[in-house]
């Protein structure tokens, strides 16, 4: 019954929206410019560029077998890395400006309908009859992990062009942070980063997948933040090193210190190539927050961000739970050969599915940075948002309770520990 109900709702929304009058210019939503040449959407909100994707999740109720069907549940879930990040940010009080592309098809209509309900701007979302809305089909295992998947997201590379992104240059240049996902093609990634660099806007690179993570090679000098998992970290380090220098990490119940020791050479490559801060997600072991220097350097990367009316509640609530300067100044170093790494633990959770965990970690962290919190406070919020995500049926929880997020962030923040602070030479 649940599956057929979901299909009926999808078809109903599609039929309703397809009857709407076509958009001008063959469905292309052009940016509206004010008389001073600035986009209507300009403001001090983060800009998020990347995929809006319809996820089809197939979850078996018993362990599956090859070459046959398995009883279970199939559901339609709004997704896409950039879209998930932006929605998570909105649940924490931010109003991110989204730049993406959708088709005039069933999947695109469902995604747009959900986006409208969030109250966020649609100005940056290109809609065109030639776009095939990105769709990803994931087969999950009984534990909620992705067992296999197929992604049809070519439209993002074809239609998210430098020319489309350029129309929103004023939004990018005034943003506290630009978040880009690696679904963009190389020219679009570079154009986005260059627009941000013109106004010294920090860029967050989300790798998306092992294959696409290698696109960091052309933009590393522009990137302030990157958030790879272990496999993406290795792929990025190899791309930046120009060869297969690093192998996938094989670990078997090792300590967090030993795990970081294995990851450290790859982390150092990213930092040496210009990335300011690397967040390495390591599943149940949490996140390694890594940079050159020390805590004070991490606070300078987004030092200009100050809370405003839309995010003051997030700033005040989290600051009360997670006071700044938790890591003392003696840990700081101005030596370029020093690596500073802190392990932030994961939180225990009642796992429903894991597909939105990483995106909500990024969304919670970026929203907090934009609110004026420092990077370490922000990561604690991100991990708290990630916990809420794995306990939800959707990629992004329908509601993020700020008090609960702050309480969970406090647990993470107070348990964070320095795992490395010395020269790597």
């Amino acid at each position: 019954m649940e599956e057929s109900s979901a299909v009926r709702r999808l078809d109903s929304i599609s039929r309703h929206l397809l009857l709407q009058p076509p958009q001008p210019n063959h469905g292309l939503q052009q940016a509206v410019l004010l008389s001073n040449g600035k986009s209507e959407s300009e403001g001090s909100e983060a800009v998020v560029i990347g995929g809006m994707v319809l996820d089809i999740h197939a979850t078996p109720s018993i362990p599956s077998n090859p070459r046959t069907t398995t009883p279970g549940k199939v559901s339609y879930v709004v997704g896409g890395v950039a879209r998930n990040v932006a929605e998570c940010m909105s649940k924490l009080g931010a109003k991110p400006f989204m730049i993406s592309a959708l088709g005039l098809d069933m999947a695109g209509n469902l995604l747009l309908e959900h986006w409208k309900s969030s109250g966020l701007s649609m100005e940056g979302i290109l809609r065109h009859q030639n776009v095939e809305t990105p769709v990803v089909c994931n087969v999950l295992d009984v534990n909620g992990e992705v067992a296999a998947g197929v992604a049809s997201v070519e439209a993002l590379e074809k239609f998210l062009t430098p020319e489309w992104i350029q129309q929103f240059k004023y939004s990018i240049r005034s943003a506290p942070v630009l978040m880009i996902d690696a679904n963009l093609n190389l020219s679009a990634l570079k154009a986005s980063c260059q627009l941000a660099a013109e106004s010294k806007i920090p860029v967050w690179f989300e790798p998306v997948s092992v294959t696409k993570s290698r696109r960091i090679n052309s933009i590393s000098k522009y990137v302030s933040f990157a958030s790879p998992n272990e496999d993406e970290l290795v792929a990025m380090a190899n791309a930046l090193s120009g060869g297969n220098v690093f192998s996938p990490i094989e670990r078997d119940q090792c300590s967090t210190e030993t795990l970081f020791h294995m990851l450290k050479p790859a982390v150092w490559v990213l930092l040496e190539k210009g990335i300011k801060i690397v967040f390495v997600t390591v599943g149940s072991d949490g996140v390694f927050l890594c940079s050159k220097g020390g805590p004070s350097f991490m606070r300078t990367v987004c030092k200009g961000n100050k809370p405003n009316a839309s995010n003051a509640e997030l700033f005040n609530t989290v600051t009360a739970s997670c006071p700044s300067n938790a890591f003392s100044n003696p840990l700081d170093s101005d030596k370029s050969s020093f690596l500073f790494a802190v392990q932030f633990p994961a939180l225990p959770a009642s796992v429903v599915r894991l597909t939105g965990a990483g995106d909500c970690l990024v969304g919670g962290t970026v929203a907090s940075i934009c609110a004026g919190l420092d990077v370490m406070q922000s990561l604690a919020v991100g991990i708290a948002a990630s916990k809420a995500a794995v306990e939800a049926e959707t990629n992004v929880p329908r509601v993020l309770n700020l008090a609960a997020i702050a309480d969970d962030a406090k647990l993470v923040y107070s348990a964070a520990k320095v795992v490395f602070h010395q020269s790597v030479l």
Side-chain angles (χ1 to χ4, degrees):
M1 287 295 293
E2 292 184 39
E3 290 89 330
S4 60
S5 177
V7 172
R8 287 198 300 272
R9 169 168 168 73
L10 184 64
D11 290 342
S12 174
I13 290 172
S14 179
R15 287 195 299 272
H16 170 74
L17 289 173
L18 287 172
L19 293 174
Q20 301 307 305
Q23 297 290 327
N25 298 320
H26 306 289
L28 183 64
Q29 290 188 340
Q30 298 290 352
V32 179
L33 300 182
L34 303 179
S35 59
N36 63 359
K38 295 189 177 183
S39 166
E40 261 185 326
S41 63
E42 182 179 0
S44 57
E45 296 289 354
V47 174
V48 178
I49 310 178
M52 300 181 77
V53 179
L54 178 64
D55 289 342
I56 301 174
H57 289 170
T59 307
S61 54
I62 60 175
S64 58
N65 294 308
R67 297 179 295 280
T68 187
T69 58
T70 303
K73 178 181 178 181
V74 177
S75 56
Y76 297 96
V77 182
V78 290
V81 171
R83 195 218 67 85
N84 291 345
V85 169
E87 184 184 359
C88 179
M89 292 177 66
S90 74
K91 298 294 174 67
L92 291 170
K95 295 289 183 183
F97 183 75
M98 183 82 193
I99 301 176
S100 192
L102 294 174
L104 301 175
D105 49 19
M106 184 174 68
N109 293 329
L110 179 63
L111 286 160
L112 193 66
E113 178 81 357
H114 186 274
W115 193 255
K116 284 180 180 177
S117 70
S118 69
L120 298 174
S121 172
M122 296 184 294
E123 182 188 343
I125 302 173
L126 183 153
R127 298 207 74 205
H128 196 277
Q129 61 189 3
N130 293 336
V131 177
E132 291 185 7
T133 297
V135 176
V136 172
C137 181
N138 287 321
V139 178
L140 310 179
D141 62 22
V142 292
N143 298 315
E145 291 266 22
V146 176
V150 176
S152 175
V153 295
E154 295 82 4
L156 294 172
E157 295 194 27
K158 184 176 179 181
F159 289 92
L160 272 182
T161 61
E163 292 75 21
W164 178 253
I165 294 167
Q166 180 75 21
Q167 294 192 55
F168 309 103
K169 60 184 178 183
Y170 295 106
S171 296
I172 293 171
R173 289 171 179 168
S174 65
V177 176
L178 169 66
M179 202 294 295
I180 52 175
D181 78 25
N183 283 308
L184 302 179
N185 63 42
L186 293 178
S187 60
L189 284 171
K190 193 168 184 178
S192 302
C193 289
Q194 287 174 338
L195 285 172
E198 290 170 4
S199 298
K200 298 182 179 179
I201 305 303
V203 174
W204 186 302
F205 177 78
E206 168 46 46
V208 175
S209 69
V210 169
T211 299
K212 293 181 178 179
S213 69
R214 299 184 179 100
R215 296 177 180 179
I216 189 65
N217 196 28
S218 63
I219 59 169
S220 61
K221 67 180 181 180
Y222 300 109
V223 173
S224 295
F225 308 103
S227 45
N229 61 26
E230 297 166 61
D231 294 332
E232 292 162 350
L233 171 68
V234 169
M236 291 166 71
N238 281 330
L240 291 168
S241 300
N244 292 318
V245 179
F246 303 97
S247 301
I249 301 299
E250 296 183 7
R251 53 177 172 128
D252 183 20
Q253 297 182 340
C254 61
S255 67
T256 54
E257 289 79 6
T258 300
L259 174 59
F260 181 76
H261 181 76
M262 291 189 287
L263 296 170
K264 180 180 63 178
V267 169
W268 187 249
V269 170
L270 271 62
L271 296 175
E272 281 283 89
K273 292 295 183 178
I275 299 173
K276 306 294 189 299
I277 296 176
V278 180
F279 302 81
V280 186
T281 60
V282 285
S284 60
D285 288 309
V287 181
F288 290 121
L289 174 61
C290 313
S291 76
K292 291 184 177 182
S296 293
F297 170 77
M298 291 187 183
R299 297 186 187 103
T300 65
V301 178
C302 288
K303 63 182 177 182
N305 292 346
K306 296 180 180 179
N308 57 39
S310 66
N311 54 32
E313 184 179 5
L314 174 61
F315 177 85
N316 292 331
T317 303
V318 175
T319 300
S321 299
C322 309
S324 189
N325 301 318
F327 297 90
S328 59
N329 288 333
L331 292 172
D332 287 310
S333 173
D334 59 0
K335 296 180 180 179
S336 61
S337 63
F338 264 70
L339 171 59
F340 177 67
V342 183
Q343 187 236 353
F344 284 70
L347 290 164
S350 301
V351 176
V352 175
R353 69 176 76 224
L354 299 170
T355 51
D359 300 340
C360 285
L361 185 146
V362 173
T365 306
V366 174
S368 301
I369 289 172
C370 293
L373 296 168
D374 68 37
V375 172
M376 287 172 281
Q377 293 170 314
S378 298
L379 178 55
V381 173
I383 292 174
S386 178
K387 175 202 172 186
V390 303
E391 295 182 331
E393 287 284 349
T394 51
N395 286 326
V396 179
R398 291 182 174 86
V399 177
L400 285 176
N401 180 281
L402 191 53
I405 291 291
D407 287 344
D408 281 339
K410 182 178 180 179
L411 294 174
V412 174
Y413 194 70
S414 61
K417 62 179 181 179
V418 177
V419 292
F420 195 87
H421 183 243
Q422 64 188 62
S423 173
V424 297
L425 301 180

